[in-house]
Amino acid sequence: MKRVVITGLGVRSPIGNDLRTVSEALREGRHGVERVPEWEAIDGLETRLGGRVVGLDATRWPRKARRTMGRVGMLAAEATDDAVRAAGLDEALLASGRVGLAYGSTHGSSEELERFCRTVFCRETFRGVSSASYLRFMSHTCAANLAQLYGIRGRIITTCSACVSASQAVGYGYEAVRSGAQEIMICGGADELHYVHAGIFDVMGVTSTRYDERPGDTPRPFDADRDGLVVGEGAGTVVLEPFERARARGAHVYAEVVGYGTNCDGTHVTSPSAEGMEQAMRLALADARLDPSEVGYVNAHATGTDVGDVQESVATHAVFGERVPVSSTKAFTGHTLGACGTIELAFSVAMMRDGFLAPSRNLARLDPGCAPLQYVTGEARDARPEVVMSNNFAFGGINTSLVLRAP
């Protein structure tokens, strides 16, 4: 089995579009949650907050490439282009068949799906529908567009698994490179901000609504005064390759992926299970051949929902006890859904590289129902974690846990 390292990384997030910017935001406490004025017109939508990406450049790509991309595809393409450039992958290598792709989102572009449905279902006509419409909102639009953009001829894995779309993509890519099935894997996830995403969580009663006039005060993972999640958008991409290959060509190594665990609760579609989460973490540690005592930081999935935060804290405590520092960076960005796995992986890389642990913003009064973990609160904490764990959990009871080691 080969050692697997990250040699390329790209990110688009509500707090920045490169590793330096997001690192500064995490250290200085700058968040990306804002009021979304256009949602005021949506009847019955209670939440008004979201996390947006600023600075997306649609003209970066030729028109022929853009015509099949919605916003989610654009986000994925920008993050991936940064990662591919950072890794130094040239056109010949990308098209050689030795490079594969694993990429996902909750589904395709919601904006494009809305436009299509308004024409077809409201006006009952297909006149004016573009031949590329479906290609923008199909479930695997990110993977399909990226494959065409870079001429990928290796394996394509499309991970449309809600909030673990990106982390499962990294896990599958890690397994493919480790086993030698692919020499290099490009992995990640993306999602765009749309009122449909917010509305879906809204009708479930799990969005933040009390802080619409104070965006900076929410979300509040693990906090007693939390009232739900905030939806965000973004994309994150990593390039994975064998350590020996990276060393031989003198590539920059961001981190080594040393463990991956994934499983299913098998109990409930939306209610999380502490037992399932715990087992995913233990699977990742076993895969990494690490004892829990060797982990220096856990980036929690914690979204700011009542049940989810409590169950995750219980699971984390069962594995680590009170010794490991824990925080949720969703307090900075909101929940970026299918992108959160690789965005939070990038945040973890930034912390390892720059020597700090980001706090859980807004965690002022711990929910007494949450387990007694070593929560990072207040200001960023100086630290040099050698090993970090990043956890993500999704509807359907799907759990993922990734373990990184500093280079």
Side-chain angles (χ1 to χ4, degrees):
M1 291 292 191
K2 297 177 173 66
R3 292 173 62 187
V4 181
V5 295
I6 299 172
T7 56
L9 189 153
V11 64
R12 292 295 180 275
S13 82
I15 60 170
N17 299 332
D18 60 78
L19 207 58
R20 178 186 62 80
T21 304
V22 300
S23 182
E24 290 174 354
L26 292 170
R27 186 187 282 276
E28 296 169 10
R30 296 199 306 269
H31 69 89
V33 178
E34 63 182 69
R35 192 177 179 93
V36 185
E38 52 266 41
W39 289 1
E40 302 284 351
I42 309 300
D43 184 40
L45 184 65
E46 298 297 327
T47 187
R48 294 286 185 268
L49 304 178
R52 292 200 247 211
V53 171
V54 177
L56 194 62
D57 181 14
T59 63
R60 185 170 180 172
W61 314 106
R63 183 179 178 279
K64 183 178 179 181
R66 295 199 311 266
R67 68 185 297 271
T68 57
M69 292 183 194
R71 183 170 175 82
V72 67
M74 294 280 189
L75 286 162
E78 285 209 3
T80 300
D81 202 52
D82 287 355
V84 167
R85 290 173 185 271
L89 308 185
D90 59 33
E91 291 183 11
L93 177 59
L94 288 165
S96 67
R98 292 149 53 199
V99 179
L101 174 74
Y103 221 93
S105 61
T106 53
H107 55 80
S109 172
S110 295
E111 182 181 8
E112 296 297 332
L113 179 59
E114 178 192 359
R115 184 175 292 116
F116 176 86
C117 290
R118 286 188 185 280
T119 301
V120 176
F121 298 128
C122 296
R123 293 168 49 199
E124 296 185 329
T125 180
F126 278 90
R127 297 186 187 279
V129 173
S130 165
S131 60
S133 290
Y134 173 71
L135 303 176
R136 300 185 198 116
F137 67 76
M138 63 185 183
S139 59
H140 66 304
T141 186
C142 292
N145 275 290
L146 291 174
Q148 299 307 308
L149 196 62
Y150 294 102
I152 303 294
R153 289 182 167 84
R155 62 172 59 187
I156 301 292
I157 302 171
T158 59
T159 54
C160 297
S161 44
C163 311
V164 296
S165 296
S167 51
Q168 280 200 324
V170 174
Y172 291 144
Y174 158 70
E175 292 175 340
V177 173
R178 183 178 62 170
S179 67
Q182 289 282 184
E183 186 171 335
I184 298 169
M185 286 292 292
I186 300 168
C187 311
D191 256 316
E192 67 183 51
L193 187 67
H194 192 274
Y195 67 84
V196 164
H197 298 161
I200 287 168
F201 289 109
D202 218 36
V203 297
M204 292 180 181
V206 294
T207 54
S208 178
T209 59
R210 294 203 306 264
Y211 300 94
D212 284 351
E213 303 301 325
R214 294 178 286 148
D217 291 345
T218 194
R220 310 178 67 88
F222 303 117
D223 190 77
D225 297 316
R226 70 192 183 283
D227 71 327
L229 60 82
V230 172
V231 174
E233 69 173 356
T237 305
V238 294
V239 173
L240 305 179
E241 63 179 281
F243 168 73
E244 293 297 337
R245 183 183 190 282
R247 183 170 64 176
R249 69 187 186 92
H252 172 71
V253 173
Y254 291 86
E256 181 178 359
V257 182
V258 295
Y260 171 59
T262 186
N263 65 356
C264 183
D265 295 340
T267 55
H268 197 280
V269 175
T270 59
S271 184
S273 159
E275 291 79 7
M277 295 174 178
E278 176 189 345
Q279 184 60 19
M281 295 181 220
R282 293 194 185 280
L283 287 170
L285 289 170
D287 185 48
R289 298 181 180 180
L290 291 172
D291 186 82
S293 63
E294 297 176 84
V295 175
Y297 168 71
V298 174
N299 191 315
H301 180 71
T303 62
T305 60
D306 287 342
V307 177
D309 289 4
V310 170
Q311 292 297 304
E312 182 175 358
S313 71
V314 170
T316 307
H317 187 269
V319 176
F320 296 102
E322 300 178 25
R323 55 155 296 278
V324 66
V326 177
S327 68
S328 171
T329 48
K330 286 185 178 68
F332 288 82
T333 63
H335 189 354
T336 55
L337 306 177
C340 70
T342 37
I343 288 177
E344 289 159 18
L345 213 61
F347 292 172
S348 296
V349 167
M351 290 183 233
M352 285 193 292
R353 186 192 70 174
D354 296 339
F356 72 98
L357 301 180
S360 282
R361 286 187 67 257
N362 300 320
L363 178 48
R365 188 166 64 93
L366 181 67
D367 178 350
C370 288
L373 300 172
Q374 188 188 145
Y375 299 95
V376 183
T377 62
E379 297 182 351
R381 180 188 302 179
D382 289 337
R384 287 279 177 188
E386 289 294 317
V387 178
V388 304
M389 173 181 282
S390 184
N391 296 324
N392 295 107
F393 313 110
F395 283 167
I398 308 171
N399 308 308
T400 61
S401 182
L402 287 160
V403 181
L404 300 182
R405 188 189 297 276

